[in-house]
C-alpha cells in the first residue's frame, strides 16, 4: 500500500466506529483503505488524547462523567471527555481548565503522535483555552501578556502529563479495551493511581454494573448512565437506571 495515502477525518471516524463495533484491525484496514498499522495508530493516539483530558479532569476533581473514543455524529468530533464540574471563577480554577484543554494534545504527543496530527486534533481545545486565558488575564491584557500566559500554561500542561503519565497510560489502555469509560470507572482509576482504592474495588463496581445491565435486559430495557452528582456520590443505584 502506498505510504502517501492521506488520512482524512472521515477515515479516522470510520476507523473508530468500526473498531467500536468489534471489527478486527485487518478488516478495518481493508474497508477504509489504510494499513493495519495506520488503523492501530489512529486508535492509539485518539485514546491517549482523551486519556490526557480525562486524567486532568480526574486529578482536578472536575468529575469527568464520560470518556469515549467513539465519534459523536451530532458534534462531528472523533472522541470526547465530558465533565460535570468546573471552576471558571477563581484563578486556580481557570488554570486547571486551561491545563485540561491542553492535556489532550500533550498526552497525544508523548504517545508518539505527529505534531501536525496533535495540533489538528486540538483545534477546539486551543480555542477554548484561549477564551479561558483571556478571562484569566483580563480584557485589558496585551497580546504579549496573553502569549506569555499561553506559553506558561502549555508548559504546565506538559508538566502535568509527565507527572501523571502512569494514570494517562492506564486510562488510555482502558479506553482501547472498552472504548468508553464512565465516571465511576474514571474516578476509580484516579483513586487506584493515588492509592485510595484497589483494583478489587474497580472489579466489584464493574461486576455490579454487569448485574444491573443484565437485570435491565431481562425486562427489555437498557442501563442508562445518569451521571455522577454530589448529592448521590458514586452510588450505582442513584447514577444508573433501567430505561
Amino acid at each position: 500500500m502506498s505510504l502517501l495515502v492521506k488520512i482524512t477525518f472521515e477515515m479516522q471516524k470510520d476507523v473508530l466506529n468500526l473498531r467500536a463495533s468489534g471489527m478486527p484491525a485487518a478488516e478495518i484496514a481493508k474497508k477504509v483503505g489504510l494499513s493495519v498499522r495506520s488503523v492501530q495508530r489512529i486508535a492509539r493516539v485518539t485514546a491517549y488524547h482523551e486519556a490526557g483530558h480525562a486524567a486532568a479532569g480526574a486529578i482536578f476533581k472536575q468529575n469527568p462523567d464520560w470518556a469515549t473514543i467513539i465519534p459523536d455524529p451530532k458534534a462531528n468530533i472523533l472522541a470526547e471527555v465530558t465533565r460535570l464540574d468546573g471552576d471558571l471563577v477563581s484563578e486556580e480554577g481557570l488554570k486547571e481548565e486551561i491545563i485540561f484543554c491542553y492535556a489532550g494534545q500533550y498526552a497525544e504527543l508523548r504517545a508518539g503522535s505527529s505534531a501536525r496530527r496533535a495540533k489538528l486534533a486540538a483545534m477546539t481545545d486551543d480555542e477554548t483555552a484561549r477564551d479561558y486565558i483571556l478571562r484569566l488575564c483580563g480584557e485589558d491584557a496585551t497580546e504579549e501578556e496573553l502569549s506569555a500566559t499561553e506559553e506558561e500554561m502549555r508548559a504546565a500542561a506538559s508538566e502535568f502529563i509527565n507527572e501523571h503519565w502512569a494514570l494517562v497510560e492506564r486510562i488510555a489502555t482502558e479506553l482501547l479495551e472498552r472504548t468508553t469509560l464512565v465516571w465511576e470507572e474514571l474516578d476509580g482509576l484516579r483513586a487506584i493511581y493515588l492509592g485510595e482504592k484497589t483494583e478489587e474495588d474497580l472489579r466489584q463496581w464493574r461486576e455490579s454494573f454487569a448485574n444491573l445491565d443484565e437485570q435491565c435486559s431481562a425486562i427489555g430495557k437498557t442501563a442508562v448512565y445518569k451521571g455522577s452528582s454530589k448529592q448521590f456520590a458514586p452510588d450505582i443505584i442513584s447514577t444508573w437506571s433501567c430505561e
Side-chain angles (χ1 to χ4, degrees):
M1 182 177 293
S2 172
L3 296 177
L4 299 178
V5 173
K6 181 180 179 180
I7 300 177
T8 66
F9 176 85
E10 289 301 319
M11 283 179 169
Q12 295 181 72
K13 186 169 68 173
D14 288 343
V15 165
L16 294 172
N17 277 323
L18 291 170
R19 190 178 185 282
S21 73
M23 183 178 290
E27 291 184 29
I28 295 174
K30 290 180 181 178
K31 190 174 184 67
V32 179
L34 295 172
S35 66
V36 172
R37 182 178 179 183
S38 292
V39 166
Q40 294 171 334
R41 186 177 181 82
I42 288 169
R44 185 174 187 274
V45 297
T46 302
Y48 271 90
H49 185 111
E50 300 311 319
H53 289 311
I59 291 295
F60 294 146
K61 294 295 187 72
Q62 295 171 336
N63 289 332
D65 65 333
W66 200 264
T68 184
I69 56 172
I70 301 176
D72 184 339
K74 295 180 180 179
N76 199 34
I77 56 178
L78 290 178
E80 63 185 329
V81 174
T82 59
R83 297 162 297 157
L84 292 177
D85 299 314
D87 174 9
L88 299 179
V89 178
S90 71
E91 179 180 338
E92 179 182 2
L94 282 169
K95 286 184 175 180
E96 289 178 350
E97 288 289 327
I98 296 167
I99 289 173
F100 174 89
C101 290
Y102 289 145
Q105 58 190 292
Y106 285 104
E108 183 176 337
L109 284 169
R110 177 159 175 173
S113 179
S114 68
R116 178 180 177 278
R117 199 276 181 188
K119 182 177 181 180
L120 288 173
M123 287 180 64
T124 300
D125 296 330
D126 285 349
E127 291 173 0
T128 304
R130 178 72 174 185
D131 289 341
Y132 292 148
I133 289 171
L134 285 168
R135 191 179 304 188
L136 179 66
C137 294
E139 58 183 22
D140 295 328
T142 65
E143 188 59 40
E144 289 76 12
E145 290 172 330
L146 294 174
S147 295
T149 300
E150 177 180 339
E151 184 176 344
E152 174 189 342
M153 295 313 303
R154 284 186 176 278
S158 179
E159 182 179 347
F160 174 90
I161 291 300
N162 289 333
E163 179 181 355
H164 300 290
W165 186 244
L167 177 59
V168 174
E169 285 195 302
R170 177 64 189 275
I171 294 174
T173 298
E174 294 276 348
L175 281 172
L176 286 169
E177 178 182 349
R178 300 173 180 273
T179 70
T180 298
L181 299 172
V182 296
W183 180 81
E184 288 92 339
E185 292 170 297
L186 292 168
D187 190 63
L189 292 171
R190 174 201 62 80
I192 291 170
Y193 168 69
L194 295 176
E196 299 171 356
K197 289 186 178 181
T198 67
E199 296 289 345
E200 179 61 17
D201 293 320
L202 180 60
R203 188 198 67 77
Q204 288 182 5
W205 181 86
R206 282 175 166 162
E207 184 177 305
S208 296
F209 170 74
N211 291 335
L212 175 64
D213 191 39
E214 187 176 320
Q215 291 170 19
C216 291
S217 297
I219 58 175
K221 296 187 176 183
T222 301
V224 177
Y225 180 58
K226 309 302 289 187
S228 59
S229 71
K230 293 181 178 179
Q231 179 182 359
F232 297 121
D235 191 318
I236 188 170
I237 296 175
S238 299
T239 58
W240 291 83
S241 65
C242 294
E243 296 184 359

